[in-house]
Amino acid sequence: MEQWRGKVAIVTGASAGIGAAIVVKLAESGVHVVALARRENVLKELAESLTDKDYGTIYTKVCDVTNEQAVKDVFSWVDSTLGGPSILVNNAGIAKVSSLLNGKLEDWQETLNLNVLALSVCSREAYKSMTKNKIDGHIIQINSITGHGLTPYFGFKMYNASKNAVTVLCDGLRHELQLVGSKIKVSSVSPGPVATGMLADVQKIITDRPAVDFKFLQVEDVANAVITSLATPPNVLIAEMTIIPTGSLIQTHLQPSAQVVENSLNL
């Protein structure tokens, strides 16, 4: 990680969970981090907790990444103030349990706007900034194992589709960068279930099995995967890193009970 010490990273969805863990790991590696989220008070608490003199500086920016102009304003500030980002971690995401049979359009739109379109806007702006500032940077998309197959869970298919889109967009972004001769790297990190508040909310609906039956990754596990991807030399790219809890499977084929389906239909 010495190659990134003193460089600038932008992390979306940085106020809690995986995003906050990534901010901490980057700062511990001497990277200056621009932490983006909508909750200003939580961002400030995170920044104030990282005061070690060897850590990178944490800059907090309130930003709704589904707002294109807000994203452009952040990248413009980073360009003019910090010399542009060397790293972008697209972590912001949402999981709405909303079935294809009777789901709400606004739930589907929110899922696609954040998980797919906002990610693409941030990636585009990172490319523009890195190119302008002559930085061979690294874009990391926080994907999911659901981005590589079909989830068996009822009411989870739009989220499933959004993460499959991230997989396609990672390959597509690498292809376009190759065609224009760019050395910017693009990596996908696809974790299995991670012990976050978002997963806890979803789990109440997608399964009736006790939580003790599930194996979870911790947020630090995903943050460490990001560091592993970044720590590669310039001639090496980890294009896809899939991480799951030891003793679990990449794809589960457990079928939800009739009661779970009924609960989902009643949302």
Side-chain angles (χ1 to χ4, degrees):
M1 286 295 291
E2 280 300 312
Q3 63 186 309
W4 303 112
R5 181 172 289 275
K7 305 295 186 181
V8 176
I10 296 176
V11 179
T12 71
S15 61
I18 294 170
I22 291 170
V23 170
V24 171
K25 290 291 183 180
L26 288 171
E28 289 176 348
S29 298
V31 179
H32 305 306
V33 185
V34 181
L36 308 185
R38 292 180 296 182
R39 295 183 293 172
E40 183 176 19
N41 59 322
V42 183
L43 281 176
K44 288 184 176 180
E45 288 176 6
L46 176 63
E48 291 169 359
S49 69
L50 301 171
T51 57
D52 191 293
K53 64 179 180 180
D54 292 327
Y55 287 3
T57 303
I58 308 297
Y59 302 90
T60 61
K61 288 287 183 181
V62 176
C63 180
D64 177 358
V65 292
T66 63
N67 182 322
E68 182 182 20
Q69 189 56 54
V71 171
K72 288 182 175 180
D73 290 344
V74 165
F75 276 88
S76 177
W77 180 85
V78 174
D79 277 350
S80 61
T81 308
L82 303 175
S86 295
I87 299 166
L88 168 66
V89 182
N90 271 314
N91 167 72
I94 191 170
K96 287 275 188 177
V97 180
S98 183
S99 83
L100 300 180
L101 303 182
N102 71 338
K104 298 176 181 178
L105 176 61
E106 53 264 36
D107 288 341
W108 300 346
Q109 289 173 327
E110 188 175 357
T111 298
L112 296 175
N113 283 341
L114 183 55
N115 294 2
V116 180
L117 298 181
L119 173 143
S120 297
V121 168
C122 290
S123 299
R124 181 193 67 194
E125 295 306 307
Y127 163 72
K128 289 181 177 180
S129 176
M130 291 173 184
T131 302
K132 179 177 67 175
N133 292 293
K134 296 181 171 57
I135 296 172
D136 294 334
H138 201 146
I139 298 172
I140 296 182
Q141 320 289 32
I142 302 302
N143 198 344
S144 166
I145 57 170
T146 64
H148 302 277
L150 180 66
T151 170
Y153 299 125
F154 189 90
F156 215 50
K157 300 300 190 287
M158 192 59 71
Y159 174 80
N160 195 178
S162 74
K163 289 302 185 178
N164 270 271
V166 171
T167 299
V168 172
L169 291 170
C170 282
D171 275 339
L173 187 55
R174 281 190 289 267
H175 186 212
E176 292 194 1
L177 288 168
Q178 179 193 48
L179 292 175
V180 299
S182 174
K183 295 181 180 179
I184 296 171
K185 294 182 178 183
V186 179
S187 295
S188 166
V189 175
S190 299
V194 184
T196 64
M198 181 174 73
L199 181 65
D201 291 339
V202 170
Q203 189 189 2
K204 294 174 185 177
I205 301 168
I206 64 175
T207 181
D208 54 358
R209 293 203 306 165
V212 292
D213 288 346
F214 277 82
K215 297 180 176 66
F216 297 100
L217 295 166
Q218 301 303 309
V219 293
E220 291 80 11
D221 299 324
V222 184
N224 285 332
V226 169
I227 297 300
T228 299
S229 294
L230 287 170
T232 52
N235 65 313
V236 174
L237 169 67
I238 298 176
E240 168 61 39
M241 183 184 293
T242 302
I243 57 174
I244 60 174
T246 301
S248 63
L249 301 174
I250 290 180
Q251 291 294 341
T252 177
H253 298 286
L254 296 173
Q255 294 301 315
S257 69
Q259 185 61 50
V260 173
V261 173
E262 182 180 345
N263 291 344
S264 297
L265 282 170
N266 290 331
L267 287 176

